[in-house]
């Protein structure tokens, strides 16, 4: 399964894509949020937003947000820290049963 990984101010951030249009946000190998597209039918573009705060330094916290956009051709993952994009990756959408996305 694809995963966007980045080290950011002493924090290991990871967004994992899962089968069926699900995704998880991990901070320092702890899953902070998980979501799934559910039963949204009839739209070509679908979006998940996963978020959490993280302590990145002594008494310094930042808001982490992952935005995952699914469409017929690709999946885009954007990772932001305090409203500033720190990582972005695009993966091809797969429609095979043994792949991570079944649209």
């Amino acid at each position: 399964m694809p995963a966007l990984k980045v080290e950011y101010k002493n924090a290991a951030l990871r967004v994992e894509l899962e089968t069926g249009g699900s995704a998880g946000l991990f901070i320092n190998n702890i899953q902070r949020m998980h979501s799934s597209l559910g039963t949204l039918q009839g739209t070509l573009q679908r979006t998940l937003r996963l978020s959490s705060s993280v302590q990145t330094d002594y008494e310094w916290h930042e808001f982490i947000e992952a935005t995952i956009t699914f469409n017929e051709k690709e999946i885009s993952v954007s990772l932001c820290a305090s409203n500033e994009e720190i990582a972005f990756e695009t993966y091809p959408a797969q429609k095979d049963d043994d792949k991570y996305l079944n649209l």
Side-chain angles (χ1 to χ4, degrees), residues 1-2 18-21 92-102:
M1 312 260 174
E18 300 172 3
T19 304
Q94 302 291 324
K95 295 185 180 184
D96 302 329
D97 289 338
D98 62 340
K99 300 296 182 181
Y100 55 85
L101 177 64
N102 296 320

Side-chain angles (χ1 to χ4, degrees), residues 36-75:
S36 179
L37 289 174
T39 59
L40 296 176
Q41 298 296 324
T43 60
L44 295 178
Q45 185 163 320
R46 303 167 192 171
T47 302
L48 293 177
R49 293 191 189 282
L50 308 173
S51 60
S52 181
S53 61
V54 63
Q55 184 172 348
T56 55
D57 203 356
Y58 181 73
E59 293 191 15
W60 184 264
H61 292 77
E62 296 203 40
F63 180 72
I64 305 298
E65 182 177 42
T67 303
I68 304 100
T69 304
F70 299 84
N71 67 39
E72 291 179 329
K73 295 182 180 183
E74 64 187 17
I75 302 166

